[in-house]
Amino acid sequence: MRSALLAAGLLALASCTPSPQPIAPGNPCSPPEAPGCDEGAPRLLRCQDGRWAVYSDCHGPEGCAAQGDSLTCDTSGNSLGDRCAPIAEGKIRCQPDGGQRILKCTDGGLVSLLECAQGTSCAGVDAGLSCL
């Protein structure tokens, strides 16, 4: 009888323990500032104020992945409207799909800085980008 009560008590305790929620925007997290890969989309999340928030989209072929003790976010496929990390703020790049636009990371998102004329495309690197 005593072991049955103990087993019932342990079962009740286990059912009260919250199950971990997936790493997804808006879900609870800890500790503050810990990064994680979104389990539902290719993006890097950061724990801010106890909730997961999008830090950067990772639309390159490598996506968001763990490498040892760190995470990598392949942004090579990011395009107009995708989120960019605060460390990329102000940086410019060619739009990856054909390079018809020069994009700039502004306020955490990629915006169109310049659209290339018909028959030209974006070329160069960082500050040396132009439409050719």
mmCIF file with all atom_site columns, all heavy atoms in Angstrom, residues 37-38 41-44 56-67 70-78:
data_model
loop_
_atom_site.group_PDB
_atom_site.id
_atom_site.type_symbol
_atom_site.label_atom_id
_atom_site.label_alt_id
_atom_site.label_comp_id
_atom_site.label_asym_id
_atom_site.label_entity_id
_atom_site.label_seq_id
_atom_site.pdbx_PDB_ins_code
_atom_site.Cartn_x
_atom_site.Cartn_y
_atom_site.Cartn_z
_atom_site.occupancy
_atom_site.B_iso_or_equiv
_atom_site.pdbx_formal_charge
_atom_site.auth_seq_id
_atom_site.auth_comp_id
_atom_site.auth_asym_id
_atom_site.auth_atom_id
_atom_site.pdbx_PDB_model_num
ATOM 1   N N   . CYS A 1 37 ? 18.178 27.894 -32.325 1.00 0.00 ? 37 CYS A N   1
ATOM 2   C CA  . CYS A 1 37 ? 17.614 27.786 -33.671 1.00 0.00 ? 37 CYS A CA  1
ATOM 3   C C   . CYS A 1 37 ? 16.129 27.518 -33.552 1.00 0.00 ? 37 CYS A C   1
ATOM 4   O O   . CYS A 1 37 ? 15.699 26.667 -32.770 1.00 0.00 ? 37 CYS A O   1
ATOM 5   C CB  . CYS A 1 37 ? 18.287 26.654 -34.448 1.00 0.00 ? 37 CYS A CB  1
ATOM 6   S SG  . CYS A 1 37 ? 20.000 26.981 -34.895 1.00 0.00 ? 37 CYS A SG  1
ATOM 7   N N   . ASP A 1 38 ? 15.331 28.243 -34.324 1.00 0.00 ? 38 ASP A N   1
ATOM 8   C CA  . ASP A 1 38 ? 13.885 28.057 -34.351 1.00 0.00 ? 38 ASP A CA  1
ATOM 9   C C   . ASP A 1 38 ? 13.587 26.645 -34.835 1.00 0.00 ? 38 ASP A C   1
ATOM 10  O O   . ASP A 1 38 ? 14.107 26.218 -35.863 1.00 0.00 ? 38 ASP A O   1
ATOM 11  C CB  . ASP A 1 38 ? 13.263 29.090 -35.296 1.00 0.00 ? 38 ASP A CB  1
ATOM 12  C CG  . ASP A 1 38 ? 11.744 29.133 -35.262 1.00 0.00 ? 38 ASP A CG  1
ATOM 13  O OD1 . ASP A 1 38 ? 11.112 28.138 -34.844 1.00 0.00 ? 38 ASP A OD1 1
ATOM 14  O OD2 . ASP A 1 38 ? 11.194 30.169 -35.666 1.00 0.00 ? 38 ASP A OD2 1
ATOM 15  N N   . ALA A 1 41 ? 11.379 27.058 -38.334 1.00 0.00 ? 41 ALA A N   1
ATOM 16  C CA  . ALA A 1 41 ? 11.784 27.866 -39.488 1.00 0.00 ? 41 ALA A CA  1
ATOM 17  C C   . ALA A 1 41 ? 13.290 28.087 -39.444 1.00 0.00 ? 41 ALA A C   1
ATOM 18  O O   . ALA A 1 41 ? 13.889 28.014 -38.375 1.00 0.00 ? 41 ALA A O   1
ATOM 19  C CB  . ALA A 1 41 ? 11.062 29.212 -39.471 1.00 0.00 ? 41 ALA A CB  1
ATOM 20  N N   . PRO A 1 42 ? 13.919 28.384 -40.600 1.00 0.00 ? 42 PRO A N   1
ATOM 21  C CA  . PRO A 1 42 ? 15.362 28.623 -40.604 1.00 0.00 ? 42 PRO A CA  1
ATOM 22  C C   . PRO A 1 42 ? 15.700 30.030 -40.104 1.00 0.00 ? 42 PRO A C   1
ATOM 23  O O   . PRO A 1 42 ? 15.853 30.964 -40.883 1.00 0.00 ? 42 PRO A O   1
ATOM 24  C CB  . PRO A 1 42 ? 15.749 28.434 -42.074 1.00 0.00 ? 42 PRO A CB  1
ATOM 25  C CG  . PRO A 1 42 ? 14.521 28.836 -42.824 1.00 0.00 ? 42 PRO A CG  1
ATOM 26  C CD  . PRO A 1 42 ? 13.364 28.430 -41.956 1.00 0.00 ? 42 PRO A CD  1
ATOM 27  N N   . ARG A 1 43 ? 15.758 30.178 -38.798 1.00 0.00 ? 43 ARG A N   1
ATOM 28  C CA  . ARG A 1 43 ? 16.135 31.479 -38.236 1.00 0.00 ? 43 ARG A CA  1
ATOM 29  C C   . ARG A 1 43 ? 16.762 31.300 -36.872 1.00 0.00 ? 43 ARG A C   1
ATOM 30  O O   . ARG A 1 43 ? 16.527 30.331 -36.174 1.00 0.00 ? 43 ARG A O   1
ATOM 31  C CB  . ARG A 1 43 ? 14.949 32.431 -38.192 1.00 0.00 ? 43 ARG A CB  1
ATOM 32  C CG  . ARG A 1 43 ? 13.743 31.892 -37.517 1.00 0.00 ? 43 ARG A CG  1
ATOM 33  C CD  . ARG A 1 43 ? 12.559 32.805 -37.725 1.00 0.00 ? 43 ARG A CD  1
ATOM 34  N NE  . ARG A 1 43 ? 11.372 32.151 -37.210 1.00 0.00 ? 43 ARG A NE  1
ATOM 35  C CZ  . ARG A 1 43 ? 10.160 32.565 -37.410 1.00 0.00 ? 43 ARG A CZ  1
ATOM 36  N NH1 . ARG A 1 43 ? 9.943  33.651 -38.111 1.00 0.00 ? 43 ARG A NH1 1
ATOM 37  N NH2 . ARG A 1 43 ? 9.130  31.924 -36.909 1.00 0.00 ? 43 ARG A NH2 1
ATOM 38  N N   . LEU A 1 44 ? 17.581 32.266 -36.515 1.00 0.00 ? 44 LEU A N   1
ATOM 39  C CA  . LEU A 1 44 ? 18.281 32.286 -35.237 1.00 0.00 ? 44 LEU A CA  1
ATOM 40  C C   . LEU A 1 44 ? 17.457 33.124 -34.268 1.00 0.00 ? 44 LEU A C   1
ATOM 41  O O   . LEU A 1 44 ? 17.042 34.236 -34.608 1.00 0.00 ? 44 LEU A O   1
ATOM 42  C CB  . LEU A 1 44 ? 19.678 32.888 -35.421 1.00 0.00 ? 44 LEU A CB  1
ATOM 43  C CG  . LEU A 1 44 ? 20.575 32.955 -34.198 1.00 0.00 ? 44 LEU A CG  1
ATOM 44  C CD1 . LEU A 1 44 ? 20.914 31.550 -33.695 1.00 0.00 ? 44 LEU A CD1 1
ATOM 45  C CD2 . LEU A 1 44 ? 21.859 33.696 -34.544 1.00 0.00 ? 44 LEU A CD2 1
ATOM 46  N N   . SER A 1 56 ? 17.796 36.765 -36.432 1.00 0.00 ? 56 SER A N   1
ATOM 47  C CA  . SER A 1 56 ? 18.132 36.839 -37.854 1.00 0.00 ? 56 SER A CA  1
ATOM 48  C C   . SER A 1 56 ? 17.505 35.664 -38.593 1.00 0.00 ? 56 SER A C   1
ATOM 49  O O   . SER A 1 56 ? 17.437 34.560 -38.061 1.00 0.00 ? 56 SER A O   1
ATOM 50  C CB  . SER A 1 56 ? 19.650 36.792 -38.051 1.00 0.00 ? 56 SER A CB  1
ATOM 51  O OG  . SER A 1 56 ? 19.987 36.841 -39.427 1.00 0.00 ? 56 SER A OG  1
ATOM 52  N N   . ASP A 1 57 ? 17.049 35.912 -39.829 1.00 0.00 ? 57 ASP A N   1
ATOM 53  C CA  . ASP A 1 57 ? 16.637 34.816 -40.693 1.00 0.00 ? 57 ASP A CA  1
ATOM 54  C C   . ASP A 1 57 ? 17.901 34.133 -41.215 1.00 0.00 ? 57 ASP A C   1
ATOM 55  O O   . ASP A 1 57 ? 18.955 34.771 -41.341 1.00 0.00 ? 57 ASP A O   1
ATOM 56  C CB  . ASP A 1 57 ? 15.791 35.337 -41.863 1.00 0.00 ? 57 ASP A CB  1
ATOM 57  C CG  . ASP A 1 57 ? 14.388 35.715 -41.422 1.00 0.00 ? 57 ASP A CG  1
ATOM 58  O OD1 . ASP A 1 57 ? 13.708 34.852 -40.855 1.00 0.00 ? 57 ASP A OD1 1
ATOM 59  O OD2 . ASP A 1 57 ? 13.980 36.871 -41.655 1.00 0.00 ? 57 ASP A OD2 1
ATOM 60  N N   . CYS A 1 58 ? 17.804 32.852 -41.518 1.00 0.00 ? 58 CYS A N   1
ATOM 61  C CA  . CYS A 1 58 ? 18.946 32.053 -41.979 1.00 0.00 ? 58 CYS A CA  1
ATOM 62  C C   . CYS A 1 58 ? 18.533 31.280 -43.227 1.00 0.00 ? 58 CYS A C   1
ATOM 63  O O   . CYS A 1 58 ? 18.455 30.046 -43.215 1.00 0.00 ? 58 CYS A O   1
ATOM 64  C CB  . CYS A 1 58 ? 19.388 31.082 -40.886 1.00 0.00 ? 58 CYS A CB  1
ATOM 65  S SG  . CYS A 1 58 ? 19.612 31.803 -39.245 1.00 0.00 ? 58 CYS A SG  1
ATOM 66  N N   . HIS A 1 59 ? 18.259 31.994 -44.342 1.00 0.00 ? 59 HIS A N   1
ATOM 67  C CA  . HIS A 1 59 ? 17.720 31.358 -45.540 1.00 0.00 ? 59 HIS A CA  1
ATOM 68  C C   . HIS A 1 59 ? 18.777 30.799 -46.493 1.00 0.00 ? 59 HIS A C   1
ATOM 69  O O   . HIS A 1 59 ? 18.443 30.377 -47.595 1.00 0.00 ? 59 HIS A O   1
ATOM 70  C CB  . HIS A 1 59 ? 16.789 32.319 -46.282 1.00 0.00 ? 59 HIS A CB  1
ATOM 71  C CG  . HIS A 1 59 ? 15.532 32.603 -45.530 1.00 0.00 ? 59 HIS A CG  1
ATOM 72  N ND1 . HIS A 1 59 ? 14.598 31.631 -45.237 1.00 0.00 ? 59 HIS A ND1 1
ATOM 73  C CD2 . HIS A 1 59 ? 15.057 33.755 -44.988 1.00 0.00 ? 59 HIS A CD2 1
ATOM 74  C CE1 . HIS A 1 59 ? 13.610 32.161 -44.559 1.00 0.00 ? 59 HIS A CE1 1
ATOM 75  N NE2 . HIS A 1 59 ? 13.861 33.449 -44.386 1.00 0.00 ? 59 HIS A NE2 1
ATOM 76  N N   . GLY A 1 60 ? 20.047 30.792 -46.086 1.00 0.00 ? 60 GLY A N   1
ATOM 77  C CA  . GLY A 1 60 ? 21.089 30.156 -46.896 1.00 0.00 ? 60 GLY A CA  1
ATOM 78  C C   . GLY A 1 60 ? 20.976 28.645 -46.793 1.00 0.00 ? 60 GLY A C   1
ATOM 79  O O   . GLY A 1 60 ? 20.232 28.122 -45.957 1.00 0.00 ? 60 GLY A O   1
ATOM 80  N N   . PRO A 1 61 ? 21.709 27.908 -47.621 1.00 0.00 ? 61 PRO A N   1
ATOM 81  C CA  . PRO A 1 61 ? 21.596 26.448 -47.643 1.00 0.00 ? 61 PRO A CA  1
ATOM 82  C C   . PRO A 1 61 ? 21.923 25.777 -46.309 1.00 0.00 ? 61 PRO A C   1
ATOM 83  O O   . PRO A 1 61 ? 21.413 24.702 -46.015 1.00 0.00 ? 61 PRO A O   1
ATOM 84  C CB  . PRO A 1 61 ? 22.577 26.007 -48.731 1.00 0.00 ? 61 PRO A CB  1
ATOM 85  C CG  . PRO A 1 61 ? 23.283 27.202 -49.202 1.00 0.00 ? 61 PRO A CG  1
ATOM 86  C CD  . PRO A 1 61 ? 22.636 28.415 -48.624 1.00 0.00 ? 61 PRO A CD  1
ATOM 87  N N   . GLU A 1 62 ? 22.745 26.383 -45.479 1.00 0.00 ? 62 GLU A N   1
ATOM 88  C CA  . GLU A 1 62 ? 23.113 25.788 -44.186 1.00 0.00 ? 62 GLU A CA  1
ATOM 89  C C   . GLU A 1 62 ? 22.094 26.104 -43.091 1.00 0.00 ? 62 GLU A C   1
ATOM 90  O O   . GLU A 1 62 ? 22.137 25.512 -42.016 1.00 0.00 ? 62 GLU A O   1
ATOM 91  C CB  . GLU A 1 62 ? 24.506 26.255 -43.759 1.00 0.00 ? 62 GLU A CB  1
ATOM 92  C CG  . GLU A 1 62 ? 25.605 25.919 -44.740 1.00 0.00 ? 62 GLU A CG  1
ATOM 93  C CD  . GLU A 1 62 ? 25.771 24.427 -44.966 1.00 0.00 ? 62 GLU A CD  1
ATOM 94  O OE1 . GLU A 1 62 ? 25.737 23.661 -43.981 1.00 0.00 ? 62 GLU A OE1 1
ATOM 95  O OE2 . GLU A 1 62 ? 25.912 24.025 -46.139 1.00 0.00 ? 62 GLU A OE2 1
ATOM 96  N N   . GLY A 1 63 ? 21.182 27.059 -43.338 1.00 0.00 ? 63 GLY A N   1
ATOM 97  C CA  . GLY A 1 63 ? 20.154 27.405 -42.349 1.00 0.00 ? 63 GLY A CA  1
ATOM 98  C C   . GLY A 1 63 ? 20.742 27.809 -41.011 1.00 0.00 ? 63 GLY A C   1
ATOM 99  O O   . GLY A 1 63 ? 21.796 28.422 -40.937 1.00 0.00 ? 63 GLY A O   1
ATOM 100 N N   . CYS A 1 64 ? 20.057 27.443 -39.944 1.00 0.00 ? 64 CYS A N   1
ATOM 101 C CA  . CYS A 1 64 ? 20.533 27.674 -38.576 1.00 0.00 ? 64 CYS A CA  1
ATOM 102 C C   . CYS A 1 64 ? 20.946 26.315 -38.037 1.00 0.00 ? 64 CYS A C   1
ATOM 103 O O   . CYS A 1 64 ? 20.161 25.363 -38.087 1.00 0.00 ? 64 CYS A O   1
ATOM 104 C CB  . CYS A 1 64 ? 19.410 28.266 -37.724 1.00 0.00 ? 64 CYS A CB  1
ATOM 105 S SG  . CYS A 1 64 ? 19.909 28.677 -36.034 1.00 0.00 ? 64 CYS A SG  1
ATOM 106 N N   . ALA A 1 65 ? 22.178 26.207 -37.551 1.00 0.00 ? 65 ALA A N   1
ATOM 107 C CA  . ALA A 1 65 ? 22.675 24.899 -37.113 1.00 0.00 ? 65 ALA A CA  1
ATOM 108 C C   . ALA A 1 65 ? 23.662 25.039 -35.968 1.00 0.00 ? 65 ALA A C   1
ATOM 109 O O   . ALA A 1 65 ? 24.349 26.061 -35.842 1.00 0.00 ? 65 ALA A O   1
ATOM 110 C CB  . ALA A 1 65 ? 23.346 24.189 -38.282 1.00 0.00 ? 65 ALA A CB  1
ATOM 111 N N   . ALA A 1 66 ? 23.712 24.002 -35.150 1.00 0.00 ? 66 ALA A N   1
ATOM 112 C CA  . ALA A 1 66 ? 24.690 23.936 -34.062 1.00 0.00 ? 66 ALA A CA  1
ATOM 113 C C   . ALA A 1 66 ? 26.008 23.416 -34.618 1.00 0.00 ? 66 ALA A C   1
ATOM 114 O O   . ALA A 1 66 ? 26.021 22.463 -35.397 1.00 0.00 ? 66 ALA A O   1
ATOM 115 C CB  . ALA A 1 66 ? 24.179 23.024 -32.964 1.00 0.00 ? 66 ALA A CB  1
ATOM 116 N N   . GLN A 1 67 ? 27.084 24.065 -34.241 1.00 0.00 ? 67 GLN A N   1
ATOM 117 C CA  . GLN A 1 67 ? 28.428 23.604 -34.580 1.00 0.00 ? 67 GLN A CA  1
ATOM 118 C C   . GLN A 1 67 ? 29.247 23.651 -33.306 1.00 0.00 ? 67 GLN A C   1
ATOM 119 O O   . GLN A 1 67 ? 29.693 24.722 -32.887 1.00 0.00 ? 67 GLN A O   1
ATOM 120 C CB  . GLN A 1 67 ? 29.066 24.466 -35.655 1.00 0.00 ? 67 GLN A CB  1
ATOM 121 C CG  . GLN A 1 67 ? 28.471 24.253 -37.018 1.00 0.00 ? 67 GLN A CG  1
ATOM 122 C CD  . GLN A 1 67 ? 29.270 24.941 -38.112 1.00 0.00 ? 67 GLN A CD  1
ATOM 123 O OE1 . GLN A 1 67 ? 30.101 25.800 -37.857 1.00 0.00 ? 67 GLN A OE1 1
ATOM 124 N NE2 . GLN A 1 67 ? 29.008 24.560 -39.347 1.00 0.00 ? 67 GLN A NE2 1
ATOM 125 N N   . SER A 1 70 ? 28.558 26.366 -30.436 1.00 0.00 ? 70 SER A N   1
ATOM 126 C CA  . SER A 1 70 ? 27.992 27.607 -30.966 1.00 0.00 ? 70 SER A CA  1
ATOM 127 C C   . SER A 1 70 ? 26.963 27.311 -32.051 1.00 0.00 ? 70 SER A C   1
ATOM 128 O O   . SER A 1 70 ? 26.827 26.186 -32.508 1.00 0.00 ? 70 SER A O   1
ATOM 129 C CB  . SER A 1 70 ? 29.116 28.498 -31.513 1.00 0.00 ? 70 SER A CB  1
ATOM 130 O OG  . SER A 1 70 ? 29.757 27.857 -32.579 1.00 0.00 ? 70 SER A OG  1
ATOM 131 N N   . LEU A 1 71 ? 26.266 28.348 -32.452 1.00 0.00 ? 71 LEU A N   1
ATOM 132 C CA  . LEU A 1 71 ? 25.264 28.255 -33.511 1.00 0.00 ? 71 LEU A CA  1
ATOM 133 C C   . LEU A 1 71 ? 25.725 29.071 -34.701 1.00 0.00 ? 71 LEU A C   1
ATOM 134 O O   . LEU A 1 71 ? 26.371 30.101 -34.549 1.00 0.00 ? 71 LEU A O   1
ATOM 135 C CB  . LEU A 1 71 ? 23.921 28.800 -33.020 1.00 0.00 ? 71 LEU A CB  1
ATOM 136 C CG  . LEU A 1 71 ? 23.272 28.058 -31.865 1.00 0.00 ? 71 LEU A CG  1
ATOM 137 C CD1 . LEU A 1 71 ? 22.040 28.806 -31.380 1.00 0.00 ? 71 LEU A CD1 1
ATOM 138 C CD2 . LEU A 1 71 ? 22.889 26.661 -32.269 1.00 0.00 ? 71 LEU A CD2 1
ATOM 139 N N   . THR A 1 72 ? 25.382 28.604 -35.900 1.00 0.00 ? 72 THR A N   1
ATOM 140 C CA  . THR A 1 72 ? 25.675 29.367 -37.107 1.00 0.00 ? 72 THR A CA  1
ATOM 141 C C   . THR A 1 72 ? 24.368 29.690 -37.813 1.00 0.00 ? 72 THR A C   1
ATOM 142 O O   . THR A 1 72 ? 23.400 28.936 -37.725 1.00 0.00 ? 72 THR A O   1
ATOM 143 C CB  . THR A 1 72 ? 26.599 28.591 -38.075 1.00 0.00 ? 72 THR A CB  1
ATOM 144 O OG1 . THR A 1 72 ? 25.936 27.411 -38.488 1.00 0.00 ? 72 THR A OG1 1
ATOM 145 C CG2 . THR A 1 72 ? 27.920 28.259 -37.422 1.00 0.00 ? 72 THR A CG2 1
ATOM 146 N N   . CYS A 1 73 ? 24.357 30.820 -38.499 1.00 0.00 ? 73 CYS A N   1
ATOM 147 C CA  . CYS A 1 73 ? 23.178 31.259 -39.236 1.00 0.00 ? 73 CYS A CA  1
ATOM 148 C C   . CYS A 1 73 ? 23.654 31.664 -40.626 1.00 0.00 ? 73 CYS A C   1
ATOM 149 O O   . CYS A 1 73 ? 24.367 32.655 -40.779 1.00 0.00 ? 73 CYS A O   1
ATOM 150 C CB  . CYS A 1 73 ? 22.530 32.433 -38.513 1.00 0.00 ? 73 CYS A CB  1
ATOM 151 S SG  . CYS A 1 73 ? 21.092 33.135 -39.349 1.00 0.00 ? 73 CYS A SG  1
ATOM 152 N N   . ASP A 1 74 ? 23.277 30.864 -41.633 1.00 0.00 ? 74 ASP A N   1
ATOM 153 C CA  . ASP A 1 74 ? 23.669 31.141 -43.015 1.00 0.00 ? 74 ASP A CA  1
ATOM 154 C C   . ASP A 1 74 ? 22.687 32.148 -43.609 1.00 0.00 ? 74 ASP A C   1
ATOM 155 O O   . ASP A 1 74 ? 21.550 31.821 -43.916 1.00 0.00 ? 74 ASP A O   1
ATOM 156 C CB  . ASP A 1 74 ? 23.674 29.843 -43.821 1.00 0.00 ? 74 ASP A CB  1
ATOM 157 C CG  . ASP A 1 74 ? 24.146 30.026 -45.256 1.00 0.00 ? 74 ASP A CG  1
ATOM 158 O OD1 . ASP A 1 74 ? 24.365 31.188 -45.680 1.00 0.00 ? 74 ASP A OD1 1
ATOM 159 O OD2 . ASP A 1 74 ? 24.274 29.014 -45.959 1.00 0.00 ? 74 ASP A OD2 1
ATOM 160 N N   . THR A 1 75 ? 23.139 33.391 -43.776 1.00 0.00 ? 75 THR A N   1
ATOM 161 C CA  . THR A 1 75 ? 22.288 34.466 -44.283 1.00 0.00 ? 75 THR A CA  1
ATOM 162 C C   . THR A 1 75 ? 22.457 34.686 -45.788 1.00 0.00 ? 75 THR A C   1
ATOM 163 O O   . THR A 1 75 ? 21.882 35.623 -46.342 1.00 0.00 ? 75 THR A O   1
ATOM 164 C CB  . THR A 1 75 ? 22.588 35.787 -43.549 1.00 0.00 ? 75 THR A CB  1
ATOM 165 O OG1 . THR A 1 75 ? 23.952 36.153 -43.795 1.00 0.00 ? 75 THR A OG1 1
ATOM 166 C CG2 . THR A 1 75 ? 22.354 35.659 -42.057 1.00 0.00 ? 75 THR A CG2 1
ATOM 167 N N   . SER A 1 76 ? 23.219 33.819 -46.464 1.00 0.00 ? 76 SER A N   1
ATOM 168 C CA  . SER A 1 76 ? 23.519 34.037 -47.880 1.00 0.00 ? 76 SER A CA  1
ATOM 169 C C   . SER A 1 76 ? 22.278 34.042 -48.770 1.00 0.00 ? 76 SER A C   1
ATOM 170 O O   . SER A 1 76 ? 22.298 34.636 -49.847 1.00 0.00 ? 76 SER A O   1
ATOM 171 C CB  . SER A 1 76 ? 24.517 32.989 -48.384 1.00 0.00 ? 76 SER A CB  1
ATOM 172 O OG  . SER A 1 76 ? 23.952 31.686 -48.333 1.00 0.00 ? 76 SER A OG  1
ATOM 173 N N   . GLY A 1 77 ? 21.191 33.429 -48.344 1.00 0.00 ? 77 GLY A N   1
ATOM 174 C CA  . GLY A 1 77 ? 19.962 33.426 -49.136 1.00 0.00 ? 77 GLY A CA  1
ATOM 175 C C   . GLY A 1 77 ? 18.935 34.443 -48.680 1.00 0.00 ? 77 GLY A C   1
ATOM 176 O O   . GLY A 1 77 ? 17.832 34.506 -49.224 1.00 0.00 ? 77 GLY A O   1
ATOM 177 N N   . ASN A 1 78 ? 19.272 35.260 -47.688 1.00 0.00 ? 78 ASN A N   1
ATOM 178 C CA  . ASN A 1 78 ? 18.319 36.256 -47.193 1.00 0.00 ? 78 ASN A CA  1
ATOM 179 C C   . ASN A 1 78 ? 18.044 37.314 -48.248 1.00 0.00 ? 78 ASN A C   1
ATOM 180 O O   . ASN A 1 78 ? 18.938 37.729 -48.980 1.00 0.00 ? 78 ASN A O   1
ATOM 181 C CB  . ASN A 1 78 ? 18.829 36.915 -45.911 1.00 0.00 ? 78 ASN A CB  1
ATOM 182 C CG  . ASN A 1 78 ? 18.771 35.983 -44.724 1.00 0.00 ? 78 ASN A CG  1
ATOM 183 O OD1 . ASN A 1 78 ? 18.473 34.800 -44.852 1.00 0.00 ? 78 ASN A OD1 1
ATOM 184 N ND2 . ASN A 1 78 ? 19.065 36.501 -43.556 1.00 0.00 ? 78 ASN A ND2 1
#
